Amino acid sequence: MTVSRFSTLFLLGALASGCSALDPFSESPSSDVLASEKLTVAAGDDELKEAIESSPGDESTGRASRTKLDDAIDPTLKKTAEDAREKLDDPDQKIAEENDATPDLWHRLRAGFALDHDASEPRVQAQLNWYKKHPRYIDRVVDRGSRYLHYIVSEAEKRGLPTELALLPVVESAFDPFAYSHGRAAGLWQFIPSTGKYFGLTQSWWHDDRRDIIAATDAALTYLDRLATRFDGDYMLALAAYNSGGGTVSSAMRRNRKRNQPTDYWSLDLPRETRHYVPKLIALAKIFDDPQAHGIELPPLDDEPYFEVVDTGSQLDLAQAAELAGVDIDEIYLLNPSYNRWATSPDGPHRLLVPRDQAETFATALKGMDPAKRVSWRNYKVESGDTLSTIAKRYSTTPSVIQQVNNLDSHIIRIGQRLMIPSAAEQAGTYSLSASERLARKQERSGKNANGTRVDYKVRSGDTFWDIAREHRVSVRQLASWNGMAPGDPLMPGKKLVIWSKSKQPAMLASTNRGKGMVRKVGYQVRKGDSLSTIASRFAVNVRDIASWNDLNTSRYLQPGQSLVLYVDIRNSP
């Protein structure tokens, strides 16, 4: 590399040196997000699958409880039990019973199916075999999704969309409303920040609309509808584009046309994740379309709304909301997973989803509540050394909120000044599904499989994920995952990380004042002949880190002109 070229890289790095507060993966919302070529790395369902596979008592057919039931039966009665089961499993009898039964949500879901489930693709069969072998997985995702499925099916019907799309959150997030991937995708529908912003899904300290059940469902179905229009009504291609970007799918189609090859989904050369993405949905649709044929018994699900939307009018403490509705606070968080903290956002939307049976009770109780008591207030006297930031951190709020409620024109405060500060009505542990409490549990649980020594580390100016991970002999992705982050998330000075260090002297590393300014964020443009291996060698980094920093699929070739972000230790670089 020439001196002038490295100088250019060094200048780029110097502009972004120090703490990685500038987001290396941030994108301004594209004017044509439908033409994106960015692969959305979803949280997926791998974590739940691993839990199902590693738990004892799994079985190849029927519901999870069946084996346990048989083991509990007196051996002399087992033959009678088996005869009864055979009669219950008789297909003709099942069909008759289904026709006589009151239609439930599964009937309604099937009525809107419109995709081709008959593809004899090995990829579909492989997914189908796994689901059939692990029926408890279906139980788990149905249990998680039971709060949301009726709403999603209804919204798909309103738009005239195939109702198979209501099963897409199984593939995206296993119906975990708090799912967050290493590719920075969040919520049931796994929106990355830039795509979310394009569809109006805002983020703040208080909330993340990508996890909002109503807003994110609207955005996802709108996105899928537009992608289907882009691909002339082909929902298989639309689904592939939802995962890997419309531009990626269009490029694959162009390559096939040049070779006089078909341009349907099954014929395209797409990223590995996308090649398995659509087959997962088709396999699920086949199971939900005819569960008995695949040895699956679906849990019953009434064709009735689970929740109602109640206008709250202003900010409300979620512990107060749970008490007014007469439900557990976790239920409030599961229906309103967009809220990061102990209360709804002061800037709205001023609404809460509550279980339908409690909606009227909640609305009536809320009307009778003194608006001043919707959140608790502390009368705080400013002391020497206080700033709005330190006060906000102490009481789990933000400087802008304190500034707003006290009508302050600036961040300047004086000793002795009185401030009204909104604060949680209950202890932090009460808000068990708030972002901070979820993170604390994740950091603690992560140590079970980490095989390292726990280090509580406070981020310093100049730190990067790569820098910290290298010193503790762990991967960037591990470090980010342990702390509920993605490798592309900004690291702010003062943030506390948990590291399961594999270094021989982790405590010494945590206290050592690392030499500052030696790691730089640089931009690199791929040249003809480049590979991940040659770039990694040139800059003394490893291939996995380059892939992680840039969300790259290592099985695909780099393209000349492609832009990469690297974190380079200039002491080891050419």
Side-chain angles (χ1 to χ4, degrees), residues 446-455 472 474 482 499-503 506:
S446 62
K448 292 181 179 179
N449 301 315
N451 296 322
T453 302
R454 175 169 175 150
V455 173
H472 289 273
V474 299
W482 293 334
I499 308 169
W500 295 96
S501 180
K502 294 182 180 177
S503 169

Side-chain angles (χ1 to χ4, degrees), residues 2 15 102 142 150 153 187 200 205 357 367 447 449 490 494 500 512 529 555 574:
T2 64
L15 290 172
T102 303
V142 168
H150 185 278
V153 170
W205 185 83
D357 293 343
K367 286 179 183 177
N449 301 315
W500 295 96
T512 300
S555 66

